[in-house]
Amino acid sequence: LLPDIDTERGNYGIKLKQIAKIYVTMFGIEKLADGERCLNWTDPKYADLGDGRRGCVGELAEVIEEVLSKRLARDNHSSTTVAQLNDLLDALVRAPSADEGKRKLLQARTLGTFSPLEHKWLCRIIVKDLKTGLGYGSVLSFLGAGAREYYDSCCDLRKTCALFAHNNPASSAWTSQPLEPLQCFVPMLAKGLG
């Protein structure tokens, strides 16, 4: 839910243009209009779907979903678990930085199993922007009253979730956490006097 603040998993090393190239190559649509549409997802002149309809422009994940919905069954939902998706994302981080290595990995793991909707969300996770309209504060507030404040002080999502997932500790339990070596923290600075 919060890929943008997940610091445990490294950077995927894939930019939007590279994702578009990977999908175009993976599905073999380089010379088709849909391939051009994926590669030029920000250009409105490529948004024409034929038959008088206009497609999405400006959001690559939405464009990929529209293009793949013609090629893959819409009702096909994969049996991929969250653990398997995490393994795929970890493998993407470790894969060589060349487009070909990332494409082969995505093709091997997702081609026959993911639906267009699942490809859209995979793209959004890779870009680290889910576009749900929920900030990290809103999501962390579901864990407990002090979860956001605790995350703001320690900058560690795993530690925050572990502390607040099963119980809502009293304020004194988490405000006096000791510092640990090599752990980021946000110091409390004194306010300037008026």
Side-chain angles (χ1 to χ4, degrees):
L1 287 176
L2 301 169
D4 52 329
I5 64 170
D6 182 11
T7 55
E8 279 192 17
R9 183 174 286 130
N11 199 355
Y12 299 106
I14 309 175
K15 302 227 183 275
L16 287 171
K17 194 72 170 172
Q18 291 172 308
I19 292 173
K21 287 179 187 176
I22 288 170
Y23 269 93
V24 165
T25 307
M26 191 164 77
F27 284 92
I29 55 175
E30 297 95 342
K31 297 182 175 151
L32 302 176
D34 283 341
E36 286 294 315
R37 186 159 173 245
C38 284
L39 294 173
N40 300 294
W41 78 92
T42 58
D43 191 347
K45 80 177 186 184
Y46 290 98
D48 187 24
L49 298 176
D51 66 3
R53 293 183 306 130
R54 308 264 314 151
C56 289
V57 176
E59 216 268 286
L60 179 61
E62 292 283 342
V63 172
I64 286 176
E65 181 188 22
E66 282 182 357
V67 167
L68 295 183
S69 66
K70 298 181 214 172
R71 289 171 166 65
L72 301 174
R74 278 190 167 270
D75 57 348
N76 138 355
H77 294 289
S78 72
S79 59
T80 304
T81 64
V82 172
Q84 291 168 329
L85 180 62
N86 275 331
D87 290 343
L88 168 65
L89 295 172
D90 289 338
L92 272 176
V93 169
R94 290 188 306 269
S97 60
D99 287 352
E100 188 62 22
K102 308 268 187 198
R103 183 194 62 79
K104 284 181 179 176
L105 180 66
L106 279 173
Q107 187 169 0
R109 300 253 188 117
T110 68
L111 192 55
T113 59
F114 279 34
S115 69
L117 181 65
E118 291 163 330
H119 278 286
K120 174 177 90 170
W121 285 105
L122 178 62
C123 287
R124 286 182 172 178
I125 290 171
I126 291 171
V127 174
K128 294 191 174 192
D129 184 8
L130 295 184
K131 298 187 186 310
T132 58
L134 292 173
Y136 76 95
S138 301
V139 175
L140 291 177
S141 68
F142 286 107
L143 288 176
R148 179 182 179 161
E149 293 150 21
Y150 183 73
Y151 174 79
D152 286 340
S153 68
C154 74
C155 302
D156 189 344
L157 186 59
R158 180 178 292 277
K159 195 171 183 180
T160 303
C161 291
L163 181 64
F164 285 86
H166 300 294
N167 57 2
N168 195 356
S171 177
S172 61
W174 58 266
T175 55
S176 61
Q177 291 287 324
L179 291 176
E180 296 175 14
L182 303 176
Q183 180 187 354
C184 295
F185 70 95
V186 178
M188 184 169 56
L189 303 174
K191 291 184 179 179
L193 296 175

